């Protein structure tokens, strides 16, 4: 397993947001976390990227215990989170934003090749490369956030709500790109409100409820699970 989480508890002050979460992500997988608002999905992502320290439990990445590792060290180790649509530098151009994603790496031919690769995945970003990030549409900012994360060449890409606020056409396109990114060798853990899309694209998924994992399985199995259909897919 590339990422392994065992028995994680996370608190915000006196509020316990995660209760003994355990999950794993294998190399080359797309794993989805689904669940209602407040279930603890974003908190799980924060614990993995290092923005929130667990009170108990263990996180290992590539066999190394990273539970206490600083967030910036985790980026260097190969974990990169693309925040939901925001978190881009609005005063910098699209291209400058993309280079910011590669701040841990040396400039050079490889970096330019990666930039071309991001522009190939997102031709819209190439058209707008000289435009300030803040002037992009919501969907374009979402693409920029993903593109910027890719520039760090992550082994594990964390995506928090990649379909948030996107028109249906663009949602399908974003998921298509997520599959391409996986096929090119990046492992992906994503949080999604859009359970239908997430389960139909993910290799495996976990369902979270009030800070615990209540179900897990292949995306295909969970799609036909009556309890999941009832609660998250709007079909009884
Ligand atoms: P959503 O889909 O609405 O984004 P989520 O599944 O990502 O929800 P989290 O954001 O992880 O859920 O929140 C889990 C719980 O932790 C919620 O009850 C939330 O109110 C609480 N929580 C999150 N952040 C904080 C914080 N900074 N301080 C206090 N409580 C918090």
């Amino acid at each position: 397993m590339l990422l392994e989480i065992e028995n994680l508890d996370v608190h915000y002050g006196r509020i316990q947001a995660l209760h003994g979460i355990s999950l794993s992500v294998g190399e080359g997988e797309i794993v989805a976390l689904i669940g209602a608002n407040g279930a603890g999905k974003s908190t799980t992502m924060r614990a993995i990227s290092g923005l929130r320290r667990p009170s108990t439990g263990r996180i290992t990445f590539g066999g190394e215990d990273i539970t206490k590792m600083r967030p910036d060290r985790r980026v260097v180790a190969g974990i990169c989170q693309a925040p939901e649509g925001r978190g881009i530098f609005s005063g910098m151009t699209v291209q400058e934003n993309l280079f910011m994603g590669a701040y841990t790496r040396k400039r050079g031919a490889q970096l330019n090749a990666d930039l071309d690769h991001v522009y190939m995945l997102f031709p819209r970003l190439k058209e707008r490369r000289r435009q300030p990030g803040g002037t992009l549409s919501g969907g374009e900012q979402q693409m920029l956030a993903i593109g910027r994360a890719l520039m760090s060449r992550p082994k594990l890409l964390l995506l928090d709500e990649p379909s948030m606020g996107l028109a249906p056409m663009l949602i399908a396109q974003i998921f298509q790109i997520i599959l391409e990114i996986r096929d090119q060798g990046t492992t992906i853990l994503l949080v999604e409100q859009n359970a239908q899309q997430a389960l139909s694209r993910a290799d495996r998924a976990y369902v979270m409820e009030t800070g615990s994992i209540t179900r897990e399985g292949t995306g295909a199995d969970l799609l036909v699970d009556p309890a999941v259909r009832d609660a998250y897919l709007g079909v009884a």
Side-chain angles (χ1 to χ4, degrees), residues 78-114:
I79 299 176
C80 189
Q81 173 158 13
E84 5 171 316
R86 289 175 287 272
I88 60 159
F89 303 103
S90 53
M92 294 176 130
T93 66
V94 165
Q95 186 143 316
E96 285 164 348
N97 265 279
L98 290 172
F99 276 124
M100 285 303 284
Y103 76 96
T104 58
R105 304 173 51 200
K106 287 203 193 75
R107 293 249 172 166
Q110 186 58 54
L111 213 54
N112 290 328
D114 288 350

Coordinates of all heavy atoms in Angstrom, one line a residue, residues 78-114:
G78 N 6.1 13.4 -1.7 CA 5.3 13.0 -2.8 C 3.8 13.1 -2.6 O 3.0 12.6 -3.4
I79 N 3.4 13.8 -1.5 CA 1.9 14.0 -1.3 C 1.6 15.4 -1.6 O 2.1 16.3 -1.0 CB 1.6 13.7 0.2 CG1 2.0 12.3 0.6 CG2 0.1 14.0 0.5 CD1 1.7 11.9 2.0
C80 N 0.6 15.6 -2.5 CA 0.2 17.0 -2.8 C -1.3 17.1 -2.9 O -2.0 16.3 -3.5 CB 0.9 17.4 -4.1 SG 0.6 19.1 -4.4
Q81 N -1.8 18.1 -2.2 CA -3.2 18.4 -2.2 C -3.6 19.5 -3.1 O -3.0 20.6 -3.0 CB -3.7 18.6 -0.8 CG -5.1 19.1 -0.7 CD -5.7 18.8 0.7 OE1 -5.1 18.6 1.7 NE2 -7.1 18.9 0.7
A82 N -4.6 19.3 -4.0 CA -5.1 20.4 -4.7 C -6.4 20.9 -4.0 O -7.4 20.1 -3.9 CB -5.5 20.0 -6.1
P83 N -6.4 22.1 -3.4 CA -7.6 22.5 -2.6 C -8.8 22.7 -3.5 O -8.6 22.9 -4.7 CB -7.1 23.8 -2.0 CG -6.0 24.3 -2.8 CD -5.4 23.1 -3.5
E84 N -10.0 22.7 -2.9 CA -11.2 22.8 -3.7 C -11.2 24.2 -4.4 O -11.5 25.2 -3.8 CB -12.5 22.7 -2.9 CG -12.3 22.5 -1.4 CD -13.6 22.6 -0.7 OE1 -14.4 23.5 -1.0 OE2 -13.8 21.8 0.2
G85 N -10.9 24.2 -5.7 CA -11.1 25.3 -6.6 C -10.4 26.6 -6.2 O -10.0 27.4 -7.0
R86 N -10.1 26.8 -4.9 CA -9.5 28.0 -4.5 C -8.0 27.8 -4.2 O -7.4 26.9 -4.7 CB -10.2 28.5 -3.2 CG -11.6 29.0 -3.4 CD -12.2 29.4 -2.1 NE -12.6 28.2 -1.4 CZ -13.7 27.5 -1.5 NH1 -14.6 28.0 -2.4 NH2 -14.0 26.5 -0.8
G87 N -7.4 28.7 -3.4 CA -6.0 28.5 -3.0 C -5.1 28.7 -4.2 O -3.9 28.4 -4.1
I88 N -5.6 29.4 -5.2 CA -4.6 29.7 -6.3 C -4.2 31.2 -6.0 O -4.8 31.9 -5.2 CB -5.2 29.6 -7.7 CG1 -6.4 30.5 -7.8 CG2 -5.6 28.2 -8.0 CD1 -6.7 30.8 -9.2
F89 N -3.1 31.6 -6.6 CA -2.6 33.0 -6.3 C -3.2 33.9 -7.4 O -2.9 33.8 -8.6 CB -1.1 33.0 -6.4 CG -0.4 32.0 -5.5 CD1 0.1 30.8 -5.9 CD2 -0.4 32.3 -4.1 CE1 0.7 29.9 -5.0 CE2 0.2 31.4 -3.2 CZ 0.7 30.2 -3.6
S90 N -4.2 34.7 -6.9 CA -5.0 35.4 -7.9 C -4.3 36.5 -8.6 O -4.6 36.8 -9.8 CB -6.3 36.0 -7.2 OG -5.9 36.8 -6.1
G91 N -3.2 37.1 -8.0 CA -2.5 38.1 -8.7 C -1.4 37.6 -9.7 O -0.8 38.4 -10.4
M92 N -1.1 36.3 -9.6 CA -0.1 35.8 -10.5 C -0.8 35.2 -11.7 O -1.9 34.8 -11.7 CB 0.6 34.6 -9.8 CG 1.5 35.1 -8.6 SD 2.1 33.6 -7.8 CE 3.8 34.0 -7.7
T93 N 0.0 35.1 -12.8 CA -0.6 34.6 -14.0 C -0.8 33.1 -13.8 O -0.2 32.5 -12.9 CB 0.3 34.8 -15.3 OG1 1.5 34.0 -15.0 CG2 0.7 36.3 -15.5
V94 N -1.5 32.5 -14.8 CA -1.8 31.1 -14.8 C -0.4 30.3 -14.8 O -0.2 29.4 -14.0 CB -2.6 30.7 -16.0 CG1 -2.6 29.2 -16.3 CG2 -4.1 31.2 -15.8
Q95 N 0.5 30.8 -15.7 CA 1.8 30.1 -15.8 C 2.6 30.2 -14.5 O 3.2 29.2 -14.0 CB 2.5 30.6 -17.0 CG 3.8 29.8 -17.2 CD 4.1 29.6 -18.7 OE1 3.2 29.3 -19.5 NE2 5.3 29.8 -19.1
E96 N 2.6 31.4 -13.9 CA 3.3 31.6 -12.6 C 2.7 30.7 -11.6 O 3.5 30.1 -10.8 CB 3.3 33.1 -12.2 CG 4.2 34.0 -13.0 CD 3.8 35.4 -12.9 OE1 2.8 35.8 -12.3 OE2 4.6 36.2 -13.3
N97 N 1.4 30.6 -11.5 CA 0.8 29.7 -10.6 C 1.3 28.2 -10.8 O 1.5 27.5 -9.8 CB -0.8 29.7 -10.7 CG -1.4 30.7 -9.8 OD1 -1.7 30.4 -8.6 ND2 -1.7 31.8 -10.3
L98 N 1.4 27.8 -12.0 CA 1.8 26.4 -12.3 C 3.2 26.2 -11.8 O 3.5 25.2 -11.2 CB 1.6 26.1 -13.8 CG 0.2 26.0 -14.2 CD1 0.1 25.8 -15.8 CD2 -0.5 24.8 -13.6
F99 N 4.1 27.2 -12.1 CA 5.5 27.1 -11.6 C 5.6 27.1 -10.1 O 6.4 26.4 -9.5 CB 6.4 28.2 -12.2 CG 6.9 27.8 -13.6 CD1 6.7 28.7 -14.7 CD2 7.6 26.6 -13.8 CE1 7.1 28.3 -15.9 CE2 8.0 26.3 -15.1 CZ 7.8 27.1 -16.1
M100 N 4.6 27.8 -9.4 CA 4.6 27.7 -7.9 C 4.4 26.3 -7.4 O 4.9 26.0 -6.4 CB 3.5 28.6 -7.4 CG 3.8 30.1 -7.5 SD 5.3 30.6 -6.6 CE 4.7 30.5 -4.9
G101 N 3.7 25.5 -8.2 CA 3.4 24.1 -7.8 C 4.7 23.3 -7.8 O 4.8 22.3 -7.1
A102 N 5.7 23.8 -8.5 CA 7.0 23.0 -8.6 C 8.1 23.7 -7.8 O 9.2 23.5 -8.0 CB 7.4 23.0 -10.1
Y103 N 7.7 24.4 -6.7 CA 8.7 25.1 -5.9 C 9.7 24.3 -5.3 O 10.8 24.7 -5.0 CB 8.0 26.1 -4.9 CG 7.5 25.4 -3.7 CD1 8.3 25.3 -2.5 CD2 6.2 24.8 -3.7 CE1 7.8 24.6 -1.4 CE2 5.8 24.1 -2.6 CZ 6.5 24.0 -1.4 OH 6.1 23.4 -0.4
T104 N 9.4 23.0 -5.1 CA 10.4 22.1 -4.5 C 11.3 21.5 -5.5 O 12.2 20.8 -5.1 CB 9.7 20.9 -3.8 OG1 8.9 20.2 -4.8 CG2 8.8 21.3 -2.6
R105 N 11.1 21.9 -6.8 CA 12.0 21.3 -7.8 C 12.8 22.3 -8.5 O 12.5 23.5 -8.5 CB 11.1 20.6 -8.8 CG 10.1 19.6 -8.2 CD 9.1 19.0 -9.2 NE 9.8 18.6 -10.4 CZ 9.2 18.5 -11.6 NH1 7.9 18.7 -11.7 NH2 9.8 18.1 -12.7
K106 N 13.9 21.8 -9.1 CA 14.8 22.7 -9.9 C 14.1 23.0 -11.2 O 13.5 22.2 -11.9 CB 16.1 22.1 -10.1 CG 17.0 22.0 -8.9 CD 18.5 21.8 -9.4 CE 19.3 21.4 -8.2 NZ 19.2 20.0 -7.9
R107 N 14.3 24.3 -11.7 CA 13.9 24.6 -13.1 C 14.7 23.8 -14.0 O 15.9 23.5 -13.8 CB 14.1 26.1 -13.3 CG 13.2 27.0 -12.5 CD 12.2 27.7 -13.3 NE 11.2 28.3 -12.5 CZ 10.4 29.2 -12.9 NH1 10.3 29.6 -14.2 NH2 9.5 29.8 -12.1
G108 N 14.2 23.6 -15.2 CA 15.0 22.8 -16.2 C 14.1 22.2 -17.2 O 12.9 22.4 -17.2
A109 N 14.7 21.4 -18.1 CA 13.9 20.8 -19.2 C 12.7 20.0 -18.7 O 11.7 20.0 -19.3 CB 14.9 20.0 -20.0
Q110 N 13.0 19.2 -17.6 CA 11.9 18.4 -17.1 C 10.7 19.2 -16.7 O 9.6 18.8 -16.9 CB 12.5 17.5 -15.9 CG 11.5 16.5 -15.4 CD 11.0 15.5 -16.5 OE1 11.9 14.9 -17.2 NE2 9.7 15.4 -16.7
L111 N 11.0 20.3 -16.0 CA 9.9 21.2 -15.6 C 9.1 21.7 -16.7 O 7.9 21.7 -16.7 CB 10.5 22.3 -14.8 CG 9.7 22.8 -13.6 CD1 9.3 21.7 -12.6 CD2 10.5 23.9 -12.9
N112 N 9.8 22.1 -17.8 CA 9.1 22.6 -19.0 C 8.3 21.5 -19.6 O 7.2 21.7 -20.1 CB 10.1 23.2 -20.0 CG 10.7 24.5 -19.5 OD1 10.0 25.2 -18.7 ND2 11.9 24.8 -19.8
A113 N 8.8 20.3 -19.6 CA 8.0 19.1 -20.2 C 6.8 18.9 -19.3 O 5.7 18.6 -19.9 CB 8.9 17.9 -20.2
D114 N 6.9 19.0 -18.0 CA 5.7 18.9 -17.2 C 4.7 20.0 -17.4 O 3.5 19.7 -17.4 CB 6.1 18.8 -15.7 CG 6.8 17.5 -15.3 OD1 6.8 16.6 -16.2 OD2 7.4 17.5 -14.2

